[in-house]
Amino acid sequence: MSGITIRRLQEYIKSKDYDPGAKRDYFLRLAEEVGELARAMRRGAGPATVDSVKGTVEEELWDILYYTLAIANCYDIDVETWIPVKEKLNDEKYRTGVEFDPVGRPD
């Protein structure tokens, strides 16, 4: 699947799961999913397949992203807007020499 953007994911999540009063619940679910990711990594979960994603690193990473974006929605934060701002701060702090290009233009 191509063409997925963070903004589109946020819209999708908001369309099916949006409850600004549940910020705490979303955060607790996020923390739980981080634990599940740790468990999958610790036990050396194999790569996901289309037929078998349950308990894999891939599944847990999606769950973490889902709840992260659900929390952003509760605060009306457009994550795509803030990624370049934060990456600029990171570059100033860590001096990686890798410039963030949000459009992904070829070199």
Side-chain angles (χ1 to χ4, degrees):
M1 183 183 273
S2 64
I4 296 174
T5 65
I6 293 171
R7 186 168 289 121
R8 177 66 191 117
L9 286 175
Q10 278 193 256
E11 291 168 356
Y12 169 72
I13 292 166
K14 192 172 191 176
S15 73
K16 67 180 211 160
D17 187 6
Y18 178 66
D19 182 0
K23 293 172 190 163
R24 179 180 182 275
D25 293 332
Y26 289 136
F27 175 75
L28 292 174
R29 290 179 186 151
L30 173 61
E32 181 179 343
E33 296 301 339
V34 169
E36 290 177 12
L37 173 61
R39 186 174 324 124
M41 292 173 64
R42 187 176 59 239
R43 67 176 171 67
T49 66
V50 174
D51 297 321
S52 178
V53 71
K54 191 72 181 153
T56 63
V57 170
E58 290 88 342
E59 177 191 24
E60 304 313 337
L61 285 171
W62 164 242
D63 291 343
I64 289 167
L65 184 57
Y66 181 99
Y67 287 113
T68 299
L69 296 178
I71 292 167
N73 285 340
C74 289
Y75 288 95
D76 293 321
I77 295 170
D78 178 355
V79 174
E80 279 193 11
T81 296
W82 294 101
I83 289 171
V85 173
K86 176 60 174 142
E87 277 306 299
K88 184 174 187 236
L89 292 174
N90 287 349
D91 186 51
E92 291 168 4
K93 182 175 182 179
Y94 299 109
R95 304 277 182 212
T96 64
V98 179
E99 185 177 335
F100 178 71
D101 180 1
V103 180
R105 290 177 223 115
D107 294 338

